[in-house]
Amino acid sequence: MSTEASAAGAQEQHGTKRVLVGKVTSAKMQKTIVVEVVRSVKHPVYGKYVRRRKKYKAHDETQQYKVGDVVEIRESKPMSRDKRWTAITLVRRPEET
């Protein structure tokens, strides 16, 4: 069995990693950013869509993301007590005025 086949099998066995898109709200820590993800959920009784938000701490190895950037984060192995996500790519930067 080749290593490529075994790696693909291991990935299928554990499932795919979740990917979320959110806005950076804090970049004050070393190699860590706080990303706020906003999603819309339908209220079970009233049927109205309400906004739910959650903050995730994500690993930023190069410290390239700033407050206001919209980034993609992916699930990863635990790196600290709170940090279980890694920043992947920059979606867009805020417009400078």
Side-chain angles (χ1 to χ4, degrees):
M1 182 178 230
S2 70
T3 56
E4 293 172 299
S6 62
Q11 181 67 17
E12 290 172 11
Q13 182 182 12
H14 294 293
T16 57
K17 307 278 186 188
R18 290 188 298 163
V19 175
L20 301 174
V21 177
K23 182 186 262 189
V24 177
T25 58
S26 172
K28 293 181 178 181
M29 294 172 274
Q30 294 178 1
K31 298 187 180 182
T32 302
I33 56 175
V34 178
V35 179
E36 182 180 56
V37 177
V38 179
R39 60 191 182 94
S40 295
V41 179
K42 193 171 187 177
H43 191 279
V45 176
Y46 300 113
K48 177 181 179 179
Y49 282 92
V50 288
R51 290 174 41 181
R52 298 282 183 222
R53 62 185 191 161
K54 187 169 181 183
K55 292 184 178 181
Y56 298 93
K57 288 185 183 167
H59 186 67
D60 176 16
E61 182 67 37
T62 57
Q63 299 182 10
Q64 63 183 346
Y65 303 114
K66 308 293 181 218
V67 174
D69 292 350
V70 177
V71 297
E72 266 189 2
I73 58 174
R74 179 187 299 138
E75 245 181 338
S76 65
K77 66 178 185 174
M79 293 179 219
S80 68
R81 188 182 76 172
D82 299 327
K83 194 162 55 166
R84 276 118 173 84
W85 296 82
T86 303
I88 310 170
T89 57
L90 175 70
V91 177
R92 72 174 187 273
R93 290 217 184 262
E95 290 78 28
E96 303 280 333
T97 57

